């Protein structure tokens, strides 16, 4: 109830300015998705948010059909208090790193939906699950400030998910009833060590971009676990800034 009251008291932030659905001028985007919505990041608004670190946040996004998604989010921790960033080239020395802000919540007030947002110094990433559809938000590589919002089903080559573990019957806890929200149990905490391989280091263009990329991916995973009442936090990122053995 406190979360609901706090969200009702604030207005959506104007963080992303909609540019439209015309992707014809972006060949690389057309290679990846059939349709998408383009947004321009308001860097001034992003800096203010990162400085103020609000506990609650609302942001509105539209899909390609013009349907409006209101993300209603609260700030969540996914990094441990004693977190360290270390490099393979100098493993004995920790590198200063300020991870982005991580928010999670729901869409359009529907408790069976899921939304997460990650605010790094110069970009925004996120995932939305709403009424059986998954949507992705992220920066367009090679374009300053340009972001893209698209449905997973609009991808030309969607990721293939394959599990090689034999399926077994699992006793799951009952799903929350309508109007209820599931929150992670603070006593049910898993601490995770993460290695970032050399390919990601090269592709992202350096240590800090690679660390932020890993943080964004980890924030998605922590959101999924939080939905199952498991608190997941990262204790260390180890970045291979030299050739890795994998």
């Amino acid at each position: 109830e406190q979360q609901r009251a706090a969200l009702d008291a604030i207005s959506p932030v104007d963080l992303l300015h909609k540019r439209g659905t015309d992707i014809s001028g972006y060949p690389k985007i057309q290679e990846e998705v059939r349709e998408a919505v383009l947004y321009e990041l308001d860097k001034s608004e992003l800096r203010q948010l990162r400085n103020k670190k609000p506990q609650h946040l609302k942001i509105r996004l539209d899909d390609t059909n013009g349907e409006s998604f209101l993300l209603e989010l609260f700030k969540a921790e996914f990094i441990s208090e004693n977190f360290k960033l270390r490099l393979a080239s100098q493993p004995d020395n920790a590198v200063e790193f300020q991870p982005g802000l991580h928010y999670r919540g729901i869409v359009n007030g529907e408790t069976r939906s899921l939304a997460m947002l990650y605010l790094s110094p110069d970009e925004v990433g996120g995932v939305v699950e709403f009424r059986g559809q998954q949507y992705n938000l992220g920066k367009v590589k090679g374009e300053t400030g340009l972001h893209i919002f698209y449905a997973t089903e609009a991808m030309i080559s969607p990721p293939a998910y394959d599990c090689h573990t034999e399926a077994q019957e699992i006793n799951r806890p009952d799903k929350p009833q309508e109007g209820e929200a599931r929150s992670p149990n603070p006593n049910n905490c898993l601490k995770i060590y993460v290695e970032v391989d050399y390919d990601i280091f090269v592709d992202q263009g350096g240590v800090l971009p690679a660390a932020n990329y890993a943080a964004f991916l980890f924030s998605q995973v922590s959101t999924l676990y939080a939905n199952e009442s498991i608190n997941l936090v990262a204790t260390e990122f180890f970045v291979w800034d030299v050739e890795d053995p994998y």
Side-chain angles (χ1 to χ4, degrees):
E1 292 183 1
Q2 290 180 342
Q3 298 275 23
R4 181 73 266 164
L7 285 164
D8 288 342
I10 62 175
S11 299
V13 297
D14 197 16
L15 179 62
L16 294 164
H17 304 302
K18 186 176 178 180
R19 286 182 48 173
T21 58
D22 184 6
I23 60 174
S24 60
Y26 301 94
K28 290 185 178 180
I29 294 179
Q30 291 178 294
E31 291 174 3
E32 300 293 334
V33 295
R34 289 183 292 273
E35 58 181 10
V37 184
L38 299 179
Y39 286 88
E40 192 70 34
L41 175 66
D42 188 325
K43 293 186 177 180
S44 176
E45 184 70 34
L46 178 60
R47 282 194 298 270
Q48 290 185 45
L49 288 173
R50 284 178 53 83
N51 288 334
K52 293 180 179 178
K53 299 178 175 60
Q55 292 300 308
H56 298 87
L57 184 66
K58 289 198 292 194
I59 182 171
R60 194 177 297 278
L61 296 170
D62 294 341
D63 69 4
T64 53
N65 296 318
E67 182 177 1
S68 183
F69 298 152
L70 179 62
L71 311 190
E72 302 175 293
L73 310 164
F74 63 91
K75 188 172 178 290
E77 299 301 330
F78 69 108
I79 297 291
S80 69
E81 292 182 359
N82 58 348
F83 174 84
K84 293 181 181 178
L85 171 62
R86 294 190 302 129
L87 308 180
S89 62
Q90 42 182 327
D92 295 332
N93 299 319
V95 177
E96 184 176 350
F97 173 59
Q98 292 294 328
L101 301 179
H102 170 53
Y103 291 87
R104 62 174 71 123
I106 59 175
V107 185
N108 292 354
E110 296 193 15
T111 57
R112 294 183 184 273
S113 62
L114 180 68
M116 65 79 54
L117 205 66
Y118 182 77
L119 309 183
S120 68
D122 58 359
E123 62 184 279
V124 177
V127 174
V128 172
E129 292 185 7
F130 185 66
R131 296 181 179 176
Q133 294 279 0
Q134 179 173 310
Y135 302 83
N136 303 281
L137 172 69
K139 182 177 178 293
V140 177
K141 192 172 183 179
E143 299 285 342
T144 303
L146 186 64
H147 283 60
I148 185 172
F149 184 61
Y150 62 93
T152 300
E153 67 175 14
M155 296 179 68
I156 294 173
S157 299
Y161 299 105
D162 191 13
C163 180
H164 298 282
T165 302
E166 184 178 347
Q168 297 180 357
E169 183 176 350
I170 299 174
N171 293 321
R172 285 185 174 273
D174 293 336
K175 288 291 184 182
Q177 299 299 314
E178 195 68 34
E180 295 180 352
R182 177 171 288 166
S183 57
N185 182 346
N187 297 318
N188 192 16
C189 182
L190 290 177
K191 297 181 178 180
I192 306 296
Y193 163 86
V194 177
E195 289 198 16
V196 182
D197 65 26
Y198 182 69
D199 286 346
I200 292 178
F201 165 77
V202 173
D203 185 63
Q204 294 298 313
V207 172
L208 296 183
N212 261 308
Y213 177 76
F216 170 53
L217 295 181
F218 187 83
S219 68
Q220 295 181 48
V221 176
S222 71
T223 298
L224 296 176
Y225 273 81
N227 208 40
E228 299 296 331
S229 302
I230 299 174
N231 210 16
L232 203 67
V233 296
T235 58
E236 180 177 328
F237 288 170
F238 186 89
V239 178
W240 285 91
D241 59 336
V242 294
E243 287 284 351
D244 61 54
Y246 304 122

